[in-house]
Amino acid sequence: DPSQPRVVFILGGPGAGKGTQCSKITQEYRAVKHLSAGDLLREERDSGSEEGEMINSYMKEGKIIPVRVTAGLLKKAIDLEKATCDLFLIDGFPRNDDNLRGWNEIVGDSVHVEFMLLMECSEKVMMSRLIARGAGSGRVDDNAETIRKRFDVYNTETMPVVTYFDEQERLQRISADSGSIDTVFADIQRVFSSVAQRKSLPRRLAGKLRRLILALFRRV
């Protein structure tokens, strides 16, 4: 159904650079919205609600949040934005088989999942990135002990979901281990060329062109 919102799942270990690359994708392509499962959960955690307190407890332990919470927040965000957005990048979800089942039950056929993009990165590189981020962010889950727990959870619970999408021939892999942010993004662009339209002109250039056309009309 062409009227359905479309979704690309973006997965990778903690610190693989998912948020950074999603931001670049939304700048480059039209009608694309980045939804971070982690950001939505942190917003709810900071709201002071009872559910937010539960989320905070799970995050401190490095545990995966119950799917009814995460999938519900994602569906709500898609419903709010689907009038103006054609493609949603969902970063950090589904993280396990339970997440995938919950997504199918709560969101289901209301959206079309194009594929999963896996950002592959070594634990050594991810650890160094997360420790550096934690020094300035104050995030409760950016400390060495919790990071190691998150790696264990990713390897035992998330990788089987990746394998499922691979078996369905709906998995795209890119290396996020080395090279610059722009080098990684160039690989991502090759993947996204079939599912998203580039913005026709950078905003600044479009503004200059508009002013030039107006100036020409004034001279006529």
Side-chain angles (χ1 to χ4, degrees), residues 7 31 43-44 47 61 65 73 91 98 108 139 149 160 186 194:
V7 165
E43 286 170 16
E44 186 65 27
S47 70
E61 292 297 317
I65 311 297
L73 291 172
D91 144 26
D98 184 53
R139 279 179 49 170
K149 288 181 183 178
S194 63

Side-chain angles (χ1 to χ4, degrees), residues 12-127:
K18 301 181 294 294
T20 299
Q21 293 300 331
C22 284
S23 177
K24 289 185 73 66
I25 294 167
T26 58
Q27 290 169 22
E28 181 74 15
Y29 296 98
R30 281 190 286 204
V32 176
K33 176 73 176 178
H34 171 212
L35 297 177
S36 163
D39 286 349
L40 291 171
L41 288 165
R42 281 185 284 275
E43 286 170 16
E44 186 65 27
R45 176 196 66 187
D46 296 340
S47 70
S49 68
E50 186 176 335
E51 198 164 70
E53 290 296 319
M54 179 270 292
I55 290 169
N56 190 49
S57 174
Y58 272 73
M59 283 184 169
K60 282 183 177 177
E61 292 297 317
K63 294 178 181 176
I64 290 177
I65 311 297
V67 67
R68 62 173 177 78
V69 177
T70 311
L73 291 172
L74 287 166
K75 186 176 189 306
K76 180 180 176 182
I78 290 171
D79 288 343
L80 284 171
E81 301 280 353
K82 65 184 180 183
T84 55
C85 295
D86 172 56
L87 182 66
F88 291 88
L89 311 176
I90 298 185
D91 144 26
F93 187 93
R95 294 191 178 207
N96 59 15
D97 289 335
D98 184 53
N99 274 190
L100 186 57
R101 282 193 297 271
W103 168 270
N104 290 334
E105 289 170 8
I106 294 169
V107 182
D109 293 337
S110 64
V111 304
H112 172 69
V113 178
E114 293 281 355
F115 56 82
M116 174 182 286
L117 175 69
L118 178 66
M119 297 180 61
E120 297 180 304
C121 193
S122 72
E123 290 188 5
K124 182 180 178 181
V125 170
M126 292 189 290
M127 175 69 83

Side-chain angles (χ1 to χ4, degrees), residues 76-202:
K76 180 180 176 182
I78 290 171
D79 288 343
L80 284 171
E81 301 280 353
K82 65 184 180 183
T84 55
C85 295
D86 172 56
L87 182 66
F88 291 88
L89 311 176
I90 298 185
D91 144 26
F93 187 93
R95 294 191 178 207
N96 59 15
D97 289 335
D98 184 53
N99 274 190
L100 186 57
R101 282 193 297 271
W103 168 270
N104 290 334
E105 289 170 8
I106 294 169
V107 182
D109 293 337
S110 64
V111 304
H112 172 69
V113 178
E114 293 281 355
F115 56 82
M116 174 182 286
L117 175 69
L118 178 66
M119 297 180 61
E120 297 180 304
C121 193
S122 72
E123 290 188 5
K124 182 180 178 181
V125 170
M126 292 189 290
M127 175 69 83
S128 64
R129 289 176 182 172
L130 291 169
I131 292 295
R133 184 177 74 181
S137 71
R139 279 179 49 170
V140 296
D141 54 349
D142 279 346
N143 63 78
E145 184 181 351
T146 302
I147 289 165
R148 279 190 287 272
K149 288 181 183 178
R150 291 166 70 195
F151 287 161
D152 289 342
V153 169
Y154 178 76
N155 289 328
T156 58
E157 300 197 25
T158 304
M159 286 310 295
V161 179
V162 172
T163 301
Y164 170 79
F165 274 83
D166 196 14
E167 290 171 350
Q168 297 287 315
E169 298 185 347
R170 289 194 296 162
L171 181 70
Q172 300 281 352
R173 300 172 184 265
I174 61 106
S175 173
D177 209 8
S178 58
S180 68
I181 290 170
D182 288 338
T183 301
V184 175
F185 184 57
D187 290 337
I188 288 175
Q189 284 178 294
R190 284 190 280 275
V191 172
F192 269 80
S193 61
S194 63
V195 294
Q197 270 193 318
R198 278 197 177 89
K199 293 175 180 174
S200 54
L201 286 170

